[in-house]
Amino acid sequence: MGSMDTIRTGHQHARRAYRWPQPLAGQTERIWFGGDYNPDQWPREVWDEDIRLMRQAKVNLVSLGIFSWANIEVSEGVYDFSWLDEIIEMLGEAGIAVDLASATASPPMWLTQAHPEVLWKDERGNVCWPGARQHWRATSPVFREYALKLCRAMAEHYRDNPAVVAWHVGNEYGCHNRFDYSDDAMRAFQQWCVQKYGNIDAVNDAWGTAFWAQRMNDFSEIIPPRFIGDGNFMNPGKLLDFKRFSSDALKGFYIAERDMLSSITPDRPLTTNFMVSAPGSILDYDDWGSEVDFVSNDHYFTPGDAHVDELAYSASLVDGIARKNPWMLMEQSTSAVNWRQINYRKEPGQLIRDSLAHTAMGANGICFFQWRQSKAGAEKFHSAMLPHAGERSQIFRDICSLGSGLELLSEEGILNTRVVQSRVAVVFDYDSEWASEHTATPSQRLRHWTEPLEWFRALADCGITADVVPLNADWERYEAVVLPSVYLLSAAQAERIRGFVRHGGRLIATSYTGISDDKDHVWLGGYPGAISDVVGVRVEEFVPLGDDHPGAPVQLRLDMGGSAKDIADWITEIDDDTVIVAKYQDDPWTGMDGVPTITAHPFGEGMAAYVGCRMTHGDIASYIPRIANALGTDWQISQEGGKVLKVERVSDDGSQRFTFLFNRTHEVVSMPVEGEAVLLSLAEVDDGKVTLQVNGAVVLKH
């Protein structure tokens, strides 16, 4: 496995010092703009054209060598840096900086043929053979040895190269090799449990092994959650810990690479590309955020009416992971991707609109996968900055417009600003998502990740752009906090919530919040057991809703409109000072007619609302004015204003402020504005009013 100091359990509160890639000598700092570049996949004569077109598009950064191990170390210990040296020199002379990869993302064939023991295994023991990417196991000491040799060679060779401004460590860790069930992984998992729990009795307690005779006498009896038969149920505590371990194991591998590179080139900032999206919970990215010099993210759009909302939600979560330090969008698509069953293209205007939305949410680097669209391989139909159609294409014209626009924003001072803190924080928690994924829950339609997004969208419908923050971040500084189906709450987190409300905070907690502790042991006494005193209600039983059996309840109507979906809470007791905001009004046979569904309760100097069901974001939005009133807030709620997503960035001294406006609808929207229009895309400003076309965006400076 390697030394134990590379495996960290729990959340690391000490963060690496923030460092951002600096511009090339003689250049002024501006928003980084570019993308992944794979010159080794193209003939040499294409490179000159690439450089010409990059300069035309105002590209100033490319990520280089991500999947180039086989072309750098052509056989064991034999390195060929000639082609890489040449293209880096060409880029540097053109004023284009390099974010250089450690090149370890996928091992070459010579390595896996000589050492098949580095290949990961699935839960049935099947080997993941070479043929795609990320076919290595994070817990293999053999693979680590080879990878660190490559890191050392890369760092020593490019330690003094002025064109290299940052290290791109690995690539999308865990995208394909998140879980490994090999014997290497088993031994590492045992070691991880030793470090976390100290003795086997503590493991038995955490995993509840008294159930189904799973008690263990020694750490050697711990095995990964391998195949246990179709339709059977894995121990929830064990599975949750294995997900935590898997994140830590990959993080330990990343740290080993990072430290090798940093030991040789200490002046160069390092990052790796996360995959934060609404459903993207492969790793605990908030935990990982403390281990990079600057946060980077890969984000790919969700087709349909959630497109801009999901993008803004995810970008806000990245901003929260970065603790509002500038971050880099390392990958996005110019149009279609290649990995969905139906790969929808982006609508006109969305390429520029999406990039500006990430910028609004704190990204000071806007990059794409990839520069030139591949003509062969599995990603040949994935869009790129320079598509198959070449420079005479709308995509490339949009890329050039975007490059000029980002340069203009840089000149206007956007780099001196950060995202303005919202009054409302929506909380997301990786552990709660992982626990909610278990196959033995009240409903398989319940997942944590869907609810923060629904609440973000509902608040946006009311004209409120919330911040999305990880559970372990400092959300106490917000006026109001939403806990949307945060299934796991440790005793410490529950006490944080009590302190927040007791000292005047406003809380909105929803169904399926505070059900279990951090070991996934249910809080007893009625739901939400962790914070029932704060919200002033007692839930006796879940009421799952669905359409898989004729005659079963599909939804429950609320007395003021809207309906519950997926799950409702049977609230049987409320405190004397709890106010009922809404109740069910449905058929008596459901047993829910007249049962409270939304309540408000004073706690200390603050107030806590409880929403005892799941609803669509539209139904949530219809109740937000009532909830806000019950909480005693003075939010400026506007359903009409909800047509436009508004985000602000401001300098630390308040002297510079930028307002970003994005059309959330498929209709033309107009609204009064103040400030000077700096950048317009499918929009116009006239006489103090902005008109946004579909997918329109405007940036105003104050």
Side-chain angles (χ1 to χ4, degrees):
M1 171 67 227
S3 60
M4 278 294 292
D5 61 357
T6 61
I7 295 297
R8 321 287 177 87
T9 60
H11 294 276
Q12 303 304 304
H13 297 288
R15 300 176 69 88
R16 285 175 67 85
Y18 170 76
R19 295 193 299 165
W20 186 253
Q22 296 303 299
L24 298 179
Q27 292 186 349
T28 57
E29 187 173 9
R30 65 184 178 96
I31 294 173
W32 289 115
F33 177 58
D36 289 12
Y37 183 36
N38 298 290
D40 47 327
Q41 297 176 15
W42 294 92
R44 171 62 181 79
E45 57 267 22
V46 175
W47 297 3
D48 290 325
E49 182 185 38
D50 284 334
I51 299 293
R52 175 182 68 82
L53 293 175
M54 285 181 189
R55 296 186 67 177
Q56 182 177 325
K58 299 187 181 296
V59 167
N60 62 356
L61 180 74
V62 295
S63 295
L64 204 60
I66 292 172
F67 292 105
S68 297
W69 189 341
N71 289 331
I72 295 173
E73 189 177 6
V74 295
S75 59
E76 183 173 352
V78 178
Y79 297 95
D80 179 9
F81 291 109
S82 59
W83 67 271
L84 194 53
D85 291 345
E86 184 177 5
I87 191 61
I88 290 177
E89 182 178 3
M90 292 173 64
L91 290 164
E93 289 177 351
I96 301 168
V98 172
D99 168 44
L100 186 59
S102 62
T104 55
S106 286
M109 290 296 294
W110 60 258
L111 194 163
T112 54
Q113 281 197 333
H115 297 284
E117 69 271 21
V118 307
L119 302 169
W120 62 266
K121 292 184 177 182
D122 69 13
E123 61 179 358
R124 293 174 181 257
N126 297 317
V127 173
C128 175
W129 294 104
R133 59 179 176 173
Q134 282 194 346
H135 38 279
W136 52 272
R137 64 178 75 157
T139 56
S140 167
V142 174
F143 184 70
R144 178 176 292 206
E145 179 183 355
Y146 277 94
L148 294 186
K149 283 181 181 178
L150 178 62
C151 289
R152 182 185 299 110
M154 293 285 289
E156 289 176 346
H157 190 84
Y158 292 105
R159 66 191 307 166
D160 298 319
N161 194 303
V164 178
V165 298
W167 283 112
H168 187 298
V169 187
N171 186 72
E172 293 185 338
Y173 286 91
C175 183
H176 303 284
N177 62 348
R178 176 189 182 189
F179 297 133
D180 170 38
Y181 302 86
S182 67
D183 285 349
D184 280 339
M186 178 183 69
R187 288 185 287 269
F189 188 34
Q190 293 167 354
Q191 194 175 22
W192 184 92
C193 289
V194 168
Q195 183 170 341
K196 179 172 183 177
Y197 291 107
N199 62 75
I200 197 64
D201 288 339
V203 181
N204 283 315
D205 174 70
W207 294 358
T209 59
F211 186 78
W212 282 353
Q214 294 177 0
R215 187 179 67 83
M216 299 168 292
N217 296 311
D218 187 80
F219 284 101
S220 64
E221 296 178 11
I222 294 175
I223 62 173
R226 292 168 174 159
F227 181 66
I228 54 173
D230 292 324
N232 217 330
F233 301 104
M234 180 57 65
N235 180 305
K238 176 180 182 177
L239 187 58
L240 176 58
D241 264 348
F242 188 73
K243 291 176 180 179
R244 291 164 170 159
F245 154 76
S246 298
S247 181
D248 282 349
L250 285 158
K251 183 180 66 173
F253 191 91
Y254 154 76
I255 289 171
E257 290 193 73
R258 179 202 70 189
D259 289 352
M260 175 61 75
L261 295 167
S262 186
S263 68
I264 299 170
T265 58
D267 58 330
R268 253 187 228 127
L270 307 96
T271 191
T272 188
N273 42 341
F274 299 166
M275 293 177 287
V276 177
S277 64
S281 306
I282 291 176
L283 305 174
D284 185 342
Y285 292 116
D286 188 46
D287 181 36
W288 278 60
S290 64
E291 301 292 355
V292 294
D293 292 339
F294 63 97
V295 169
S296 299
N297 192 50
D298 295 353
H299 183 270
Y300 290 95
F301 73 99
T302 298
D305 62 4
H307 182 139
V308 70
D309 288 351
E310 191 281 330
L311 184 156
Y313 166 91
S314 299
S316 182
L317 178 54
V318 177
D319 194 53
I321 291 170
R323 302 302 190 263
K324 290 198 174 296
N325 284 317
W327 54 274
M328 184 173 294
L329 178 65
M330 193 67 78
E331 289 185 25
Q332 62 172 326
S333 65
T334 56
S335 190
V337 298
N338 68 301
W339 38 264
R340 292 190 174 104
Q341 287 191 334
I342 301 174
N343 292 300
Y344 298 96
R345 74 165 187 154
K346 284 190 175 180
E347 299 167 8
Q350 288 182 342
L351 186 157
I352 294 174
R353 190 277 311 274
D354 290 1
S355 297
L356 292 178
H358 283 290
T359 306
M361 288 295 186
N364 281 1
I366 300 295
C367 299
F368 293 85
F369 179 84
Q370 59 180 320
W371 163 251
R372 181 182 284 271
Q373 190 170 1
S374 300
K375 67 176 182 179
E379 293 180 313
K380 62 182 179 294
F381 290 118
H382 192 296
S383 60
M385 301 170 77
L386 185 63
H388 289 154
E391 60 182 300
R392 290 188 297 109
S393 64
Q394 187 60 50
I395 283 180
F396 187 68
R397 287 191 288 271
D398 284 350
I399 284 294
C400 291
S401 295
L402 177 61
S404 297
L406 295 177
E407 184 175 68
L408 176 60
L409 284 179
S410 301
E411 293 169 354
E412 291 290 334
I414 194 71
L415 294 174
N416 299 322
T417 67
R418 303 186 190 206
V419 183
V420 173
Q421 179 178 305
S422 175
R423 297 174 69 181
V424 184
V426 176
V427 170
F428 174 81
D429 178 45
Y430 286 98
D431 277 355
S432 289
E433 170 55 26
W434 293 346
S436 73
E437 293 166 351
H438 198 270
T439 55
T441 58
S443 170
Q444 285 301 287
R445 296 183 180 181
L446 303 182
R447 292 290 184 273
H448 164 62
W449 76 262
T450 63
E451 300 316 290
L453 176 59
E454 288 290 298
W455 276 85
F456 179 88
R457 298 189 71 190
L459 288 161
D461 287 347
C462 295
I464 300 169
T465 303
D467 284 356
V468 185
V469 299
L471 180 61
N472 289 293
D474 182 17
W475 41 259
E476 286 95 335
R477 53 198 177 92
Y478 288 84
E479 175 187 319
V481 171
V482 183
L483 294 178
S485 295
V486 181
Y487 171 74
L488 299 183
L489 284 178
S490 67
Q493 292 290 9
E495 193 53 42
R496 285 183 69 192
I497 293 165
R498 287 189 186 89
F500 169 71
V501 182
R502 186 181 291 117
H503 292 98
R506 268 47 182 175
L507 175 74
I508 302 174
T510 79
S511 176
Y512 220 52
T513 290
I515 305 303
S516 292
D517 65 14
D518 52 326
K519 297 181 288 189
D520 201 2
H521 292 193
V522 173
W523 289 100
L524 301 179
Y527 315 128
I531 54 169
S532 57
D533 56 330
V534 180
V535 297
V537 303
R538 179 176 179 269
V539 177
E540 192 168 321
E541 191 176 9
F542 297 120
V543 183
L545 305 167
D547 56 4
D548 55 340
H549 290 284
V554 176
Q555 60 183 18
L556 292 170
R557 296 185 301 275
L558 276 66
D559 61 346
M560 296 183 183
S563 59
K565 65 167 188 172
D566 296 334
I567 195 169
D569 290 342
W570 186 32
I571 297 176
T572 57
E573 296 178 19
I574 63 173
D575 289 359
D576 292 340
D577 51 357
T578 296
V579 175
I580 297 175
V581 178
K583 61 179 65 175
Y584 294 108
Q585 188 176 62
D586 212 308
D587 296 327
W589 65 264
T590 64
M592 297 294 286
D593 187 43
V595 171
T597 185
I598 302 176
T599 61
H601 178 246
F603 187 80
E605 298 177 7
M607 290 288 294
Y610 187 75
V611 180
C613 66
R614 287 187 167 187
M615 294 184 280
T616 65
H617 70 89
D619 283 350
I620 295 170
S622 70
Y623 280 96
I624 283 178
R626 295 184 179 92
I627 295 171
N629 182 63
L631 292 177
T633 68
D634 60 350
W635 299 342
Q636 300 301 308
I637 296 173
S638 168
Q639 301 288 341
E640 184 66 24
K643 294 180 179 180
V644 174
L645 184 74
K646 178 181 178 182
V647 186
E648 292 186 300
R649 290 182 55 157
V650 66
S651 59
D652 290 341
D653 61 5
S655 63
Q656 291 182 305
R657 180 180 292 265
F658 294 84
T659 299
F660 293 74
L661 301 174
F662 305 98
N663 188 348
R664 298 176 65 226
T665 75
H666 269 160
E667 59 186 55
V668 177
V669 176
S670 297
M671 62 183 296
V673 294
E674 297 179 353
E676 174 191 356
V678 175
L679 197 60
L680 297 164
S681 177
L682 297 181
E684 58 183 31
V685 175
D686 182 45
D687 195 25
K689 184 176 75 172
V690 63
T691 300
L692 294 161
Q693 302 296 320
V694 177
N695 299 320
V698 62
V699 185
L700 303 161
K701 186 177 181 180
H702 308 273

